[in-house]
């Protein structure tokens, strides 16, 4: 990069830095207050700000985060986050739909957001977001919010955008559910974002074997075998799963096993209540706030994507610099970009 | 005597040279309300028509009474509304039921309509054993193509089997269902898919009947004999001739081999036809007259595989519902073919043709392979639930559209020879368009209220209670439904009771994972626009494609959804039969850049109002642009633009990439504003 361009980059970063000092603009301020009342469109517009990849959104994200942090009376929630993952077509969306209805029934004042991630097309980059088809929520009910997100070819089907959106949603809702697709990376990543991960499988479909091969069986906190429309099928599936877990050397003591394995039928509404009750129990237990760890994970992921291993090395080297670990995610991100830009200028 | 016989002539038993009787000429009719439709039927019967083919409106087909919110925009639009036995009485006023052959295009609520018909006959003192007719009642194709399903597949199959059981014992001349491949072709099916999916449907029904064990061997054979078909015939008419021959042969083989039917009479493939409408164009609509004629050849040329009944679309198919004159013009075609030509004087023309035989065998082979694949996957119901068949149809529709866009399939006036003199036909005073009198709906609602207030509430309640109980017990529901009919239960009440018992079902949309094979300059240009948008705004443009109301025409919405993804949009599409509220809510939650509505049922004016009202409530009316596509008559354009619709697309906008280009323009205009 020519030197002159490095200078303009530095100048640009500096001007972003200054823009971050500005208070929250009135429009976004209003959106936030409406969102706190669980108004759908304001929440949706804020989500978009957290998903978008441009300077304007970065600055807004920072301002919003700062505002929320300084108004804990309005934005003091710390949602219980459930990651729902498993093979395509296992019934994740259907199950989430039924679980939400059951949660609403059991705890009428609960608020739930669902974030469903679908894969983007390799060739066009576009995505068909169809998970909504599988849920039948009461309309105009502020207590359930549904949002689709395209993976945008992020490895593992979740990326910065998902992380950012979770930063937001966790402040508004009691429960957030994230649905991802695929075997492999996404199970690991969704676990990073979640307090509790559920792996949804089909009965007798050989999923378990695949998961074991991929080393996924260790990841989830709960196993759900969905599509157990008939009781006989449920029994057989439970048996098989236990055998696979044993093979994978995952030892669940009797009680634990009872708690960690569920058989459901989303279409017949069987076994749903049990899972919902269990989720509520998980929510009621004090959870460690692992947000900092999440932040580190997704920051590193971003650095690696933008600057490669070298970028991570640079970070490691300078990690004691205060500005790298101060303030909002956006401030840290900016501080790092400035550091990199400076570093590169000096290299020249 | 026999030595004198000539191979090109037809002879009767006495050896006299004869001519075949023509097929039955049908016109599908019904609209506005029961009074208007009764008048129409009586006038048609007065002109010598012998059977009735009844079109019901969408609320009746989907199980809603006319005063339900979702029903209001649709009352009487595409058929006649029936709310109770009182409506049925008016509809058949002065029409002798025991002399009629009544065919009803009804599916989700077919048991209810049959119950009403039986109850009417019983109240009039007609022996129900004398009733003749058909309820369409093929739910598998509803999930795949037509969209008026209500209950989950297993429960739908149960109702169908209930009807076969009841009819065989009580109304032996009633066709409890009609296996339809017509709608599959309209949804994009290839000839092989049509053969395979329709025959799989028949197998699914017959297996279910056999498994119930309600018939002895002789009864089961008769029941197989009652299975009739409703098929389609498109422009590749030689292939269609072969497809019909393949159908006949395959049905004979399946009924022999799978069901052991001994009597050849019960193995005969009986079918009615409506020829292809999907290929009829909005552009140069007068050309459609030729297309209809050519399509008719496919189902009439073979004597061994000739249709029993035929109904034809009209030249203005892609413009609006046909007016009486348009229908008359199509009937004339049938009359000319049957009476002016020598078609009916010959034995089968193709017997012994190596070309035809080879083509038939080829179709059969591929169709059997597909049938076996589906049966291996667990059969028809399973293939509905997994979306296998639906996905295949959307793929085929995508391929069809791609060929149109790329010019691989020539359609005169559409993608070739598009210039020409405008037809005087479309210049008639009404612009060639049929309009339903909206005020007539009020009369229907008044009648419904009258029925409700005059009936014996205790009897109605008891009848519904019995229906619910017997639904849970697994008893045949025909008797309980007939009692509901007599107790003046309404269409909505009957359906709601069974909705509570069975639940509702939304089949897979089939759009996931679909790709288009379009790579042209327009695509490159649109993708560039999308890239610029992403650079400017930091995200991909988002669109929700919505199908509000009861309209089941999904092809257009599916193609737009797939095309939008192909150009790089993030697309939210979640199927048909949603309310305006559902769609606005999804648009808000997903914070989309544009709402794309697809409507072909004629209710676009009312539904547009509902949409804008709902957007207004959330303060989003000015913020999210709304575009509209489907069958939208030109005279409606101005009013729709005034309401705030940003663009309107109709069937002539088949170039999907140009459509997408305009959509991104709409989004950019909004961003600038
Ligand atoms: C195919 C078809 C069917 C199929 C539908 C299969 C399916 N799954 O879609 C079947 C056989 C099931 C069917 C059934 C019926 N049909 Co029909 N059908 C047609 C037909 C022949 C073609 C429609 C079509 O699919 N075209 C192909 C697609 C790709 O094109 P399109 O939908 O026009 O979409 C294009 C544009 O319009 C635009 N577009 C459309 N939507 C959108 C949305 C957006 C956002 C954008 C940007 C663009 C856009 O872009 C698309 C791509 O080019 C039309 C007549 C015709 N030739 O147009 C009648 C027609 C629509 N049907 C009609 C009727 C009456 C019915 C029935 C009600 C009959 C009955 N009484 O039972 C039933 C009702 C079914 C139901 N549940 O609603 C009438 C409607 C009359 C009216 N509006 O007043 C028509 C006009 C025929 C007629 N002249 O009578 N039908
Ligand atoms: N028989 C049966 N089918 C089910 C059940 N749950 C879901 N399905 C069906 O399985 C199919 C896929 O369901 P989804 O909920 O979309 O599955 P998913 O895992 O979210 O799928 P993707 O998001 O595409 O990976 C649909 O046809 C559902 O109707 C169940 O419990 N029993
Ligand atoms: Mg899903």
């Amino acid at each position: 990069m020519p030197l002159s361009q490095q200078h303009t980059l530095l100048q640009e970063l500096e001007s972003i830095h200054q823009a971050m000092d500005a208070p929250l603009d009135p429009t976004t301020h209003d959106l936030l207050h409406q969102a706190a009342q669980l108004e759908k469109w304001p929440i949706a517009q804020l989500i978009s700000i957290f998903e978008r990849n441009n300077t304007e959104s970065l600055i807004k994200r920072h301002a919003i985060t700062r505002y929320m942090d300084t108004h804990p009376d309005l934005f003091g929630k710390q949602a219980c986050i459930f990651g729902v993952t498993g093979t395509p077509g296992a019934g994740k969306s259907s199950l989430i739909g039924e679980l939400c209805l059951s949660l609403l029934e059991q705890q009428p004042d609960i608020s739930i957001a669902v974030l469903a991630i679908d894969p983007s097309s390799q060739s066009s980059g576009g995505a068909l977001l169809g998970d909504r088809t599988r849920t039948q929520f009461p309309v105009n009910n502020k207590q359930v919010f549904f949002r689709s997100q395209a993976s945008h070819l992020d490895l593992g089907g979740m990326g910065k955008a998902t992380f950012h959106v979770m930063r937001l949603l966790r402040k508004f809702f009691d429960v957030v559910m994230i649905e991802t697709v695929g075997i492999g990376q996404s199970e690991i990543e969704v676990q990073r974002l979640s307090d509790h991960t559920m792996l949804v499988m089909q009965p007798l479909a050989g999923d378990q074997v695949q998961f074991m091969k991929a080393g996924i069986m260790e990841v989830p906190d709960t196993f759900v075998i969905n599509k157990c429309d008939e009781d006989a099928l449920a029994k057989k599936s439970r048996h098989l799963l236990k055998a696979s877990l044993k093979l994978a050397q995952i030892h669940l003591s009797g009680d634990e096993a009872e708690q960690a394995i569920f058989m459901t039928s989303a279409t017949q509404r069987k076994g749903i209540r049990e899972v919902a009750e269990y989720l509520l129990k998980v929510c009621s237990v004090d959870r460690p706030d692992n947000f900092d760890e999440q932040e580190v994970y997704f920051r590193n992921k971003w650095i690696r994507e933008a600057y490669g291993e070298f970028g991570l090395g640079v970070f490691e080297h300078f990690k004691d610099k205060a500005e790298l670990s101060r303030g909002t995610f956006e401030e840290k991100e900016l501080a790092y970009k400035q550091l990199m830009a400076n570093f590169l200028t000096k290299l020249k | 005597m026999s030595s004198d016989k000539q191979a090109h002539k037809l002879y009767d038993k006495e050896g006299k040279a004869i001519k075949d009787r023509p097929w039955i000429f049908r016109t599908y009719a019904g609209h506005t309300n029961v009074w208007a439709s009764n008048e129409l039927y009586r006038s048609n019967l007065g002109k010598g028509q012998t059977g009735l083919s009844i079109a019901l409106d969408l609320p009746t087909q989907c199980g809603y009474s006319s005063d339900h919110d979702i029903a209001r925009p649709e009352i009487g639009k595409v058929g006649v509304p029936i709310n109770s036995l009182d409506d049925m009485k008016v509809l058949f006023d002065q029409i002798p039921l025991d002399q009629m052959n009544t065919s009803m295009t009804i599916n989700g609520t077919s048991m209810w309509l049959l119950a009403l018909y039986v109850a009417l006959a019983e109240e009039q003192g007609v022996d129900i054993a004398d009733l003749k007719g058909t309820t369409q009642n093929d739910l598998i194709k509803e999930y795949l193509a037509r969209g008026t399903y209500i209950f989950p597949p297993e429960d739908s199959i149960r109702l169908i089997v209930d009807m076969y059981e009841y009819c065989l014992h009580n109304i032996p001349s009633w066709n409890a269902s009609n296996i339809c491949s017509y709608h599959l072709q309209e949804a994009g099916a290839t000839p092989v898919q049509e053969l395979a999916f329709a025959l799989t449907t028949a197998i699914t029904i017959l297996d279910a009947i056999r498994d119930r064990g309600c018939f002895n061997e002789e009864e089961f054979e008769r029941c197989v004999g009652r299975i009739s078909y409703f098929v389609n015939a498109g422009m590749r008419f030689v292939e269609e001739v072969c497809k019909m021959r393949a159908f006949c042969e395959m049905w004979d083989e399946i009924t022999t081999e799978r069901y052991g039917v001994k009597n050849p009479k019960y193995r005969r493939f009986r079918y009615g036809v409506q020829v292809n409408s999907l290929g009829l164009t909005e552009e140069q609509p007068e050309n459609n007259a030729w297309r209809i004629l050519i399509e008719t050849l496919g189902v009439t040329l073979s004597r061994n595989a000739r249709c029993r009944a035929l109904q034809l679309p009209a030249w203005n198919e892609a413009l609006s519902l046909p007016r009486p004159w348009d229908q008359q013009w199509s009937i004339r075609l049938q009359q000319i073919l049957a009476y002016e030509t020598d078609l009916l004087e010959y034995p089968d023309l193709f017997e012994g043709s190596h070309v035809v035989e080879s083509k038939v065998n080829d179709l059969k082979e591929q169709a059997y392979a597909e049938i076996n694949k589906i049966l291996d996957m667990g059969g028809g119901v399973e293939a509905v639930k997994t979306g296998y068949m639906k996905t295949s149809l959307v793929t085929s529709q995508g391929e069809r559209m791609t060929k149109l866009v790329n010019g691989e399939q020539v359609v005169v006036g559409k993608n070739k020879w598009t210039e020409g003199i405008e037809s005087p036909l479309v210049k008639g005073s009404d612009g060639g368009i049929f309009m339903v009198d909206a005020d007539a709906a009020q009369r229907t609602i008044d009648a419904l209220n009258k029925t409700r207030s005059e009936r014996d509430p205790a009897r109605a309640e008891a009848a519904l209670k019995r229906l619910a109980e017997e639904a849970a017990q697994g008893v045949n529901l025909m008797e309980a439904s007939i009692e509901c009919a007599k107790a003046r239960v309404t269409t909505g009440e009957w359906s709601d009771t069974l909705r509570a018992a069975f639940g509702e079902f939304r089949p897979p949309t089939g759009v996931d994972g679909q790709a288009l094979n379009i790579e042209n300059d327009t695509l490159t240009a649109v993708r560039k626009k999308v890239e610029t948008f992403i650079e400017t705004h930091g995200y991909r443009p988002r669109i929700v494609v919505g199908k509000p109301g009861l309209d089941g025409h999904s092809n257009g919405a599916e193609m737009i959804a797939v095309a939008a993804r192909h150009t790089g949009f993030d697309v939210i599409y979640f199927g048909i039969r949603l309310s305006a509220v559902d769609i606005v809510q999804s648009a808000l939650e997903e914070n989309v850049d544009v709402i794309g509505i697809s409507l072909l049922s004629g209710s676009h004016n009312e539904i547009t109002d509902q949409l804008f009202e709902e957007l207004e409530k959330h303060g989003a009316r000015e913020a999210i642009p709304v575009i509209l596509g489907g069958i939208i008559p030109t005279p409606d354009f101005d009013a729709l633009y005034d309401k705030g619709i940003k663009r309107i697309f109709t069937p002539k906008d088949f170039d999907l990439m140009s459509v997408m280009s305009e959509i991104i323009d709409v989004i950019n205009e909004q961003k600038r504003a």
Side-chain angles (χ1 to χ4, degrees):
Chain A
M1 206 183 282
L3 216 51
S4 58
Q5 267 187 33
Q6 288 295 339
H7 277 300
T8 51
L9 177 60
L10 273 169
Q11 280 158 9
E12 195 188 312
L13 291 172
E14 185 48 35
S15 71
I16 296 175
H17 198 131
Q18 277 163 20
M20 279 187 173
D21 287 339
L24 191 63
D25 65 281
T27 320
T28 316
H29 173 274
D30 290 350
L31 281 182
L32 263 174
H33 279 259
Q34 288 160 354
Q37 304 299 314
L38 298 184
E39 291 286 343
K40 287 180 185 294
W41 197 31
I43 295 175
Q45 287 170 281
L46 290 171
I47 293 178
S48 297
I49 296 175
F50 276 70
E51 279 179 335
R52 286 173 192 173
N53 183 21
N54 60 12
T55 310
E56 190 193 334
S57 300
L58 180 119
I59 297 169
K60 275 198 184 154
R61 273 203 297 277
H62 160 75
I64 291 168
T65 312
R66 202 178 46 189
Y67 188 87
M68 290 198 301
D69 287 346
T70 50
H71 293 79
D73 48 323
L74 276 173
F75 310 101
K77 283 219 159 109
Q78 186 200 331
C80 188
I81 298 171
F82 293 106
V84 182
T85 180
T87 38
K92 299 178 293 295
S93 306
S94 312
L95 185 66
I96 290 177
E98 290 303 322
L99 280 175
C100 289
L101 293 179
S102 183
L103 288 171
L104 272 177
E105 205 179 283
Q106 292 178 45
Q107 197 173 303
D109 60 343
I110 201 169
S111 59
I112 315 166
V114 179
L115 184 67
I117 302 167
D118 270 326
S120 299
S121 147
Q122 291 280 348
S123 57
S124 76
L128 264 164
L129 307 169
D131 291 317
R132 210 173 247 283
T133 325
R134 300 273 149 241
T135 58
Q136 283 174 22
F137 293 153
V139 279
N140 284 339
N141 180 334
K142 290 184 189 173
Q143 288 169 258
V144 268
F145 182 95
F146 190 103
R147 175 76 166 221
S148 315
Q149 191 177 60
S151 69
H152 291 153
L153 312 180
D154 250 311
L155 260 183
M158 346 197 331
K160 244 169 82 172
T162 314
F163 163 67
H164 284 315
V165 171
M166 295 312 297
R167 285 169 62 196
L168 181 78
L169 290 179
R170 67 209 296 277
K171 300 278 186 190
F172 293 127
F173 293 92
D174 299 322
V175 169
V176 179
M177 303 221 190
I178 320 174
E179 177 189 336
T180 67
V181 213
I183 308 177
Q185 198 63 20
S186 68
E187 272 73 16
I188 319 267
E189 298 233 296
V190 77
Q191 189 197 24
R192 296 273 171 196
L193 280 181
S194 317
D195 295 306
H196 193 96
T197 313
M198 283 191 274
L199 181 64
V200 183
M201 290 170 284
Q202 312 203 29
L204 322 175
D207 292 8
Q208 289 106 321
V209 181
Q210 285 187 47
F211 283 125
M212 276 195 310
K213 280 190 192 149
I216 301 297
M217 282 309 228
E218 291 85 32
V219 173
D221 302 299
T222 324
F223 300 90
V224 181
I225 302 190
N226 186 41
K227 303 202 185 178
C228 290
D229 301 353
E230 283 124 36
D231 296 339
L233 194 59
K235 272 208 192 103
K236 204 162 167 189
S237 300
R238 182 184 196 89
H239 191 71
L240 262 170
L241 175 63
K242 279 191 171 166
S244 323
L245 286 173
K246 210 179 252 164
L247 262 176
Q249 311 222 312
I250 298 169
H251 300 292
L252 302 169
S253 64
D255 251 16
E256 230 178 315
E258 288 318 305
Q259 292 207 339
I261 302 176
F262 292 96
M263 313 288 130
T264 60
S265 167
T267 44
Q268 316 254 325
R269 306 205 165 94
K270 283 189 193 165
I272 305 291
R273 201 186 160 85
E274 288 75 4
V275 185
E277 275 168 4
Y278 181 67
L279 297 186
L280 284 175
K281 221 191 285 166
V282 171
C283 290
S284 65
V285 176
D286 259 349
R287 303 177 292 281
D289 184 349
N290 60 353
F291 182 67
D292 291 342
E293 277 164 53
Q294 281 180 22
E295 212 185 64
V296 169
Y297 178 84
F298 284 95
R299 180 203 64 208
N300 286 356
K301 180 175 161 138
W302 162 68
I303 293 178
R304 194 180 286 115
E305 268 161 24
Y307 304 95
E309 290 302 323
F310 167 73
L312 274 177
V314 173
F315 184 88
E316 220 18 60
H317 189 78
F318 290 105
K319 68 166 182 273
D320 296 334
K321 275 182 175 285
E323 63 265 33
L324 284 183
S325 49
R326 190 174 51 210
T328 62
F329 188 91
E330 285 67 30
E331 283 175 302
K332 293 171 201 162
E333 181 179 328
L334 195 71
Y336 180 81
K337 278 185 183 157
Q338 286 180 316
L339 179 93
M340 274 313 249
N342 266 318
F343 187 75
L344 291 170
T345 316
K346 283 197 194 115
L347 270 186
K348 290 275 168 183
Chain B
M1 181 87 212
S2 64
S3 58
D4 303 337
K5 280 189 184 168
Q6 290 175 296
H8 68 273
K9 283 191 178 155
L10 285 172
Y11 297 95
D12 66 5
K13 282 195 200 100
E14 279 82 48
K16 214 171 88 209
I18 52 156
K19 195 178 167 179
D20 270 326
R21 268 197 317 187
W23 53 90
I24 298 167
F25 306 164
R26 279 233 166 97
T27 12
Y28 182 55
H31 61 81
T32 310
N33 58 28
V34 283
W35 295 274
S37 298
N38 173 260
E39 208 176 292
L40 177 68
Y41 298 158
R42 280 195 288 138
S43 118
N44 286 348
L45 291 170
K47 287 181 202 151
Q49 184 179 309
T50 50
L52 289 174
S53 176
I54 295 179
L56 293 142
D57 76 352
L58 287 173
T60 308
Q61 294 192 51
C62 299
Y64 299 102
S65 293
S66 300
D67 59 350
H68 192 289
D69 269 350
I70 201 160
R72 283 181 186 270
E74 312 276 1
I75 304 170
K77 282 268 165 67
V78 297
V80 56
I82 298 289
N83 285 302
S84 74
L85 190 55
D86 292 332
D87 283 343
M88 211 65 174
K89 234 177 181 163
V90 179
L91 187 68
F92 290 99
D93 184 34
Q94 297 175 54
I95 297 174
L97 294 187
D98 48 356
Q99 291 163 42
M100 274 305 112
N101 187 319
T102 306
S103 149
M104 294 189 247
T105 301
I106 193 72
N107 294 275
T109 51
S110 41
M111 178 182 277
W112 175 236
L113 267 295
L114 178 60
L116 287 167
Y117 199 71
V118 170
L120 181 65
E122 286 183 344
E123 285 201 353
Q124 291 182 352
V126 172
D127 183 357
I128 65 165
D130 290 337
L131 298 180
K132 276 185 290 297
T134 306
T135 32
Q136 191 170 74
N137 205 14
D138 170 359
L139 269 294
I140 291 193
K141 69 93 172 56
E142 292 296 322
Y143 302 122
L144 299 181
R146 194 170 170 281
T148 67
Y149 47 77
I150 305 174
F151 314 115
E154 290 86 354
D155 304 291
S156 296
I157 302 286
R158 166 188 166 186
L159 293 180
I160 296 171
V161 177
D162 280 0
M163 288 171 68
Y164 271 101
E165 186 181 6
Y166 177 87
C167 290
L168 200 86
H169 292 138
N170 300 284
I171 331 176
S173 300
W174 195 271
N175 298 309
S177 86
N178 202 222
I179 311 293
C180 301
S181 77
Y182 166 76
H183 311 81
L184 304 176
Q185 183 175 127
E186 295 293 305
T190 62
V192 169
Q193 286 171 333
E194 229 189 292
L195 286 163
F197 295 176
L199 291 168
T200 301
T201 301
I203 289 172
T204 305
I205 301 297
L206 279 179
D207 281 3
I209 294 173
R210 186 193 54 195
D211 294 350
R212 182 177 287 190
C214 53
F215 296 142
N216 64 30
E217 209 169 295
E218 181 271 335
E219 287 170 334
F220 186 73
E221 281 216 358
R222 270 198 291 137
C223 176
V224 173
R226 292 261 41 113
I227 300 255
S228 60
Y229 285 77
F230 181 49
V231 305
N232 204 326
M235 285 302 286
R236 293 172 52 84
F237 76 102
V238 179
E239 186 170 41
E240 295 293 25
V241 164
C242 299
K243 180 188 82 188
M244 292 323 309
R245 298 175 80 88
F247 254 133
C248 294
E249 291 181 19
M250 289 174 83
W251 186 235
D252 187 69
E253 288 156 11
I254 291 170
T255 48
T256 308
E257 286 154 25
R258 195 175 176 97
Y259 301 109
V261 175
K262 293 181 202 83
N263 188 340
K265 191 174 93 181
Y266 296 139
R267 299 198 305 258
R268 209 169 293 148
F269 186 82
R270 298 180 304 137
Y271 74 102
V273 178
Q274 157 122 7
V275 303
N276 182 291
S277 303
L278 180 64
L280 301 182
T281 59
E282 177 184 5
E283 306 90 330
Q284 303 182 12
E286 66 279 7
N287 298 342
N288 293 330
W290 307 150
R291 295 196 177 98
I292 295 165
L293 169 60
I294 291 165
E295 290 171 344
T296 303
L297 298 179
V299 289
T300 50
L301 286 185
S302 294
R303 182 172 191 265
N304 288 355
R306 186 171 289 149
C307 62
R308 303 274 171 126
L310 178 60
Q311 72 197 28
L312 298 179
W315 69 280
N316 56 351
E317 169 76 14
L319 304 178
S320 79
L321 285 169
R323 301 159 301 179
W325 180 82
D326 306 316
Q327 288 187 326
Q328 175 185 304
W329 198 23
S330 288
I331 283 279
R332 291 290 183 253
L333 187 167
Q334 297 204 40
Q335 292 164 334
I336 291 169
L337 182 64
Y339 294 107
E340 290 189 20
T341 76
D342 54 350
L343 176 70
L344 297 173
E345 292 169 16
Y346 305 104
D348 193 84
L349 299 175
F350 304 104
E351 220 167 65
S353 157
H354 300 310
V355 177
V356 169
E357 190 185 324
S358 168
K359 177 80 186 170
V360 169
N361 287 339
D362 184 46
L363 288 169
K364 280 174 63 179
E365 205 173 299
Q366 293 183 58
Y368 272 129
E370 186 67 16
I371 292 174
N372 290 331
K373 188 170 166 192
I374 298 173
L375 293 179
D376 284 346
M377 291 188 317
V381 166
E382 208 44 37
V384 164
K385 292 202 287 185
T386 59
Y388 172 77
M389 289 193 280
K390 177 69 184 176
T391 303
S392 311
L393 291 177
V394 178
T395 303
S396 299
Q397 184 70 264
E399 283 165 3
R400 189 187 77 93
M401 293 296 288
T402 301
K403 284 187 194 150
L404 288 181
V405 173
N406 295 344
E408 282 164 62
Q409 183 186 332
V410 170
V411 177
V412 174
K414 193 174 196 76
N415 60 9
K416 202 143 191 183
W417 299 293
T418 53
E419 304 293 309
I421 303 161
E422 200 190 338
S423 155
L425 273 179
V426 281
K427 286 187 186 150
S429 58
D430 52 5
I433 284 160
F434 172 92
M435 299 277 183
V436 175
D437 170 16
D439 297 334
Q442 193 51 47
R443 199 165 166 199
T444 297
I445 292 181
D446 292 344
L448 170 62
N449 289 332
K450 186 158 176 272
T451 298
R452 278 214 196 93
S453 66
E454 287 176 3
R455 71 185 178 188
D456 171 1
R459 184 174 178 191
E461 202 177 303
L464 285 169
K465 189 161 163 267
R466 172 177 167 196
L467 182 68
E469 282 165 6
E470 296 189 356
Q473 291 158 0
V475 176
N476 189 318
L477 291 178
M478 268 309 293
E479 295 289 358
S481 298
I482 295 167
E483 170 53 21
C484 283
K486 289 179 180 162
R488 269 35 180 198
V489 156
T490 65
T491 299
E493 290 165 342
W494 181 86
S495 311
D496 282 344
T497 303
L498 293 187
R499 278 190 188 97
F502 301 146
E504 287 179 85
F505 181 74
R506 295 184 69 78
T509 60
V511 297
D512 296 329
Q514 296 285 351
L516 290 173
N517 200 2
I518 302 177
E519 300 290 337
N520 58 20
D521 293 348
T522 329
L523 173 67
T524 313
V526 183
R527 284 203 178 153
K528 198 165 266 159
K529 282 188 191 179
V530 171
E531 283 310 315
T532 311
F533 181 94
I534 296 173
E535 275 161 33
T536 316
H537 303 288
Y539 70 99
R540 258 175 210 287
R542 285 167 85 83
I543 181 172
V544 59
V545 179
K547 289 232 23 104
L550 297 177
D551 177 18
H553 291 91
S554 59
N555 291 338
E558 288 155 4
M559 288 304 111
I560 294 297
V562 173
R565 184 179 87 138
H566 189 60
T567 52
F569 275 65
D570 281 343
V571 187
I572 291 103
Y573 175 65
F574 54 116
I576 59 169
R577 284 176 56 190
L578 298 158
S579 69
V581 180
D582 287 326
I583 288 168
V584 168
Q585 172 164 320
S586 66
L588 297 178
E589 287 189 339
E590 302 288 357
N591 195 26
V592 295
D593 299 289
V594 60
I595 299 177
I597 296 298
S598 182
L599 277 170
L600 288 84
S601 71
S603 51
H604 44 275
N605 293 320
E606 296 87 339
I607 288 183
T608 301
D609 288 338
Q610 291 178 353
L611 269 166
F612 280 127
E613 213 173 279
E614 191 62 24
L615 280 168
E616 179 90 60
K617 265 192 218 157
H618 294 89
R621 183 169 182 159
E622 303 300 322
I624 308 179
V626 182
I627 57 176
L628 182 63
I631 301 292
I632 316 292
T634 324
D636 289 355
F637 278 29
D638 283 342
L640 288 164
Y641 287 136
D642 284 345
K643 284 176 189 167
I645 295 287
K646 292 287 186 285
R647 292 279 197 290
I648 297 171
F649 301 90
T650 61
K652 68 175 181 330
D653 300 301
F654 67 94
D655 183 353
L656 295 170
M657 296 304 113
S658 302
V659 172
M660 292 318 300
S661 180
E662 276 204 55
I663 296 180
I664 189 99
D665 290 346
V666 168
I667 297 177
N668 284 328
E669 283 161 24
Q670 181 76 27
K671 288 272 177 197
R672 262 181 249 119

